[in-house]
Amino acid sequence: MKAVSSNDVARILIVGGGYVGMYTALRLQRKLKQELRQGSVRITVVDPDPYMTYQPFLPEAAAGSLSPRHVVVPLRRVLPQCQVVIGEVTALDHDARTATVETLAAEAAGAADTEIAYDELILAPGSVSRTLPVPGLADHGIGFKTVEEAIGLRNHVLEQLDIASSTRDPAVRDAALTFVFVGGGYAGVEALAELEDMARYAVRYYHNVEATDLKWILVEATGKILPEVGPEMGRYAVRELRARNIDVRLDTRLDSCEDRIAVLSDGSRFPTRTLVWTAGVKPPPILAATGLPLNGRGRLKCTAALQVDGVAHAWAAGDAATIPDLTAPEPATPDEPPALCAPNAQHALRQARTLAENVAAAVRGGPLLDYRHKYTGSVASLGLHKGVAHVYGRKLRGYPAWFMHRAYHLSRIPTFNRKARVLAEWTLSGLFKREIVSLGSLENPRAEFELAAGTGRHNEAS
């Protein structure tokens, strides 16, 4: 059914500016170029951040191989035909076709939240970190899902080397040089591998810290890591990490991290000042407030055409949606649930393309397409010049897999501008030494001024 609002303007609201949100808006700009120029279509993108983060590059940003500003894509630059609203959707009334948005301006002025009317709703809010009620986790855990967290973790690791180098207390030194990562998926393994590479390089500039003093621990609750690359490559990754003196603990859980002591389910205890939590993601809370149909895990139930099941003019894709995998074999028994598309970047990018085609067809009154994509495989980095890959049935390891990882993601990051900047940084990093500077003070830039204006060491006598 063709969707046109009462004022003859089809209003498309996209909730989320990540993979699905940004790529869908980018393609809608091209598909609906004439309608946007005539004013018969209006596209609004709502996201808490003014940029899209290309998350596969976060480990390299944390290791200093890439500048943080080059792993994000400014929404306003790539979406000039869309209205970009920086804010968070707090409520949806799909019957009335309105969304309540808490914007920065409303928060600063103490004003009421903004209401945005729409005709077509695209839900692509992504996911948030999934935490468990582990004692001490909220106080001492560090996430790894945003560019701010990645750069904060880089600064933190380098600061721990400074602490270890400047203390005579062996307990403080051991805790500073112990790094615990929880979660054996892409985020945890790649972050640990890249940061271990960086720290091992950095200690050559410390007169009293050796690479053998560093203790890296990977904790995974299941019996394997990197399940996306297959069991054989997963076992190779374990061997590769252990060969680098990284303690990989499978079938192990984090029971507590109170008082900066990581207590594992196997009885081990590790005093540590660094505990990185990458143990999965969950749907954002806004989905529960939409009133739209959800599955048992809180994700939106969708059809193969990326429509919210049983709801007109509502669409979803990516981490927040359950999409039937039409390329998977039929269930062996009637009681077995149908296969679903994995919530990963490979599907998200392709779902965005189909989603934009279908929303454009809904606006114009055309037929809809079903999403169909056979999973081609995965690549993962294990640090500089090291990696694993399982693509189109072929298994690669070491330098070829690492090169494929970089080439694939360079081809996928949006805009020529970002591609050129990333390639230039990689080229320069191959010619010059690593950057090992910690800029932790950037996280609290007013500290020095507050000290000077208060009763600190810079206080002037009256």
Side-chain angles (χ1 to χ4, degrees):
M1 180 183 296
K2 185 176 180 180
V4 180
S5 62
S6 58
N7 57 357
D8 293 330
V9 177
R11 301 161 298 183
I12 302 172
L13 174 63
I14 302 176
V15 179
Y19 285 109
V20 174
M22 195 210 72
Y23 278 103
T24 301
L26 195 61
R27 193 166 184 85
L28 280 172
Q29 280 187 158
R30 300 168 186 162
K31 295 292 295 182
L32 301 175
K33 182 184 298 184
Q34 183 177 352
E35 288 87 344
L36 287 166
R37 188 182 297 118
Q38 294 172 348
S40 59
V41 169
R42 184 165 65 243
I43 304 173
T44 303
V45 179
V46 179
D47 194 83
D49 298 314
Y51 52 80
M52 184 274 272
T53 301
Y54 193 74
Q55 292 184 346
F57 281 157
L58 288 184
E60 292 203 47
S65 300
L66 289 176
S67 170
R69 68 182 184 277
H70 295 159
V71 303
V72 297
V73 181
L75 294 178
R76 288 191 173 90
R77 176 182 292 176
V78 300
L79 303 175
Q81 305 302 316
C82 301
Q83 180 187 7
V84 177
V85 177
I86 306 306
E88 188 170 358
V89 174
T90 57
L92 276 170
D93 186 346
H94 190 64
D95 292 334
R97 303 287 198 276
T98 60
T100 304
V101 181
E102 182 181 347
T103 64
L104 294 175
E107 183 180 348
D113 292 344
T114 303
E115 277 202 353
I116 298 178
Y118 63 83
D119 300 295
E120 297 288 340
L121 172 66
I122 300 174
L123 286 165
S127 57
V128 297
S129 295
R130 177 177 62 89
T131 58
L132 299 176
V134 176
L137 179 61
D139 297 323
H140 306 300
I142 302 171
F144 196 81
K145 191 166 175 59
T146 67
V147 67
E148 293 87 356
E149 288 175 329
I151 303 309
L153 180 58
R154 166 185 168 81
N155 292 331
H156 175 82
V157 169
L158 291 173
E159 286 172 359
Q160 300 315 300
L161 301 183
D162 292 332
I163 291 172
S165 176
S166 58
T167 183
R168 295 184 179 180
D169 188 328
V172 173
R173 177 185 170 92
D174 289 346
L177 296 180
T178 300
F179 307 93
V180 179
F181 285 68
V182 181
Y186 277 122
V189 172
E190 291 191 336
L192 181 150
E194 292 282 356
L195 286 166
E196 189 272 340
D197 247 1
M198 178 199 72
R200 183 158 31 85
Y201 175 86
V203 295
R204 68 179 66 181
Y205 298 102
Y206 290 81
H207 69 283
N208 59 350
V209 180
E210 302 291 338
T212 53
D213 297 332
L214 305 177
K215 185 182 295 182
W216 297 84
I217 303 163
L218 177 63
V219 180
E220 168 55 39
T222 67
K224 57 187 176 181
I225 66 172
L226 297 176
E228 296 86 354
V229 299
E232 182 182 341
M233 290 295 96
R235 289 191 294 270
Y236 167 79
V238 171
R239 293 195 302 270
E240 167 68 22
L241 295 176
R242 286 175 173 167
R244 290 159 58 178
N245 205 31
I246 296 172
D247 186 356
V248 180
R249 304 214 171 195
L250 304 178
D251 296 310
T252 307
R253 301 180 310 278
L254 176 70
D255 285 344
S256 171
C257 56
E258 289 183 304
D259 301 323
R260 294 190 180 275
I261 299 177
V263 180
L264 307 185
S265 59
D266 60 7
S268 303
R269 297 168 62 89
F270 297 99
T272 178
R273 296 175 57 86
T274 308
L275 190 139
V276 184
W277 181 268
T278 62
V281 295
K282 65 180 181 180
I286 179 57
L287 297 186
T290 62
L292 300 176
L294 307 176
N295 70 352
R297 295 188 175 183
R299 296 166 66 193
L300 291 161
K301 294 181 181 178
C302 295
T303 66
L306 308 180
Q307 290 178 299
V308 178
D309 195 13
V311 182
H313 308 298
W315 314 78
D319 289 356
T322 54
I323 311 296
D325 187 354
L326 300 183
T327 65
E330 292 291 331
T333 64
D335 297 332
E336 185 179 343
L340 301 173
C341 294
N344 55 39
Q346 185 178 143
H347 279 300
L349 294 178
R350 289 166 173 81
Q351 286 170 5
R353 185 181 307 160
T354 303
L355 181 55
E357 296 284 342
N358 284 348
V359 172
V363 170
R364 292 171 171 171
L368 303 183
L369 304 172
D370 284 343
Y371 172 73
R372 184 187 299 269
H373 170 67
K374 189 172 180 59
Y375 193 61
T376 58
S378 300
V379 291
S381 170
L382 298 178
L384 191 62
H385 300 158
K386 298 175 284 290
V388 290
H390 189 182
V391 181
Y392 293 114
R394 300 193 63 182
K395 300 168 185 176
L396 300 174
R397 62 184 69 178
Y399 186 89
W402 171 83
F403 183 82
M404 179 178 287
H405 173 271
R406 282 199 163 183
Y408 173 78
H409 288 299
L410 181 65
S411 71
R412 293 303 173 186
I413 191 169
T415 77
F416 176 79
N417 178 297
R418 283 298 177 270
K419 286 180 172 63
R421 290 178 183 272
V422 168
L423 184 59
E425 281 207 282
W426 282 342
T427 303
L428 291 173
S429 66
L431 299 175
F432 300 101
K433 296 180 179 180
R434 279 181 182 260
E435 290 289 346
I436 58 168
V437 176
S438 168
L439 297 176
S441 59
L442 290 177
E443 297 164 30
N444 188 12
R446 294 193 67 246
E448 183 70 15
F449 181 79
E450 290 172 348
L451 183 64
T455 58
R457 63 180 183 272
H458 301 314
N459 192 39
E460 301 290 342
S462 56

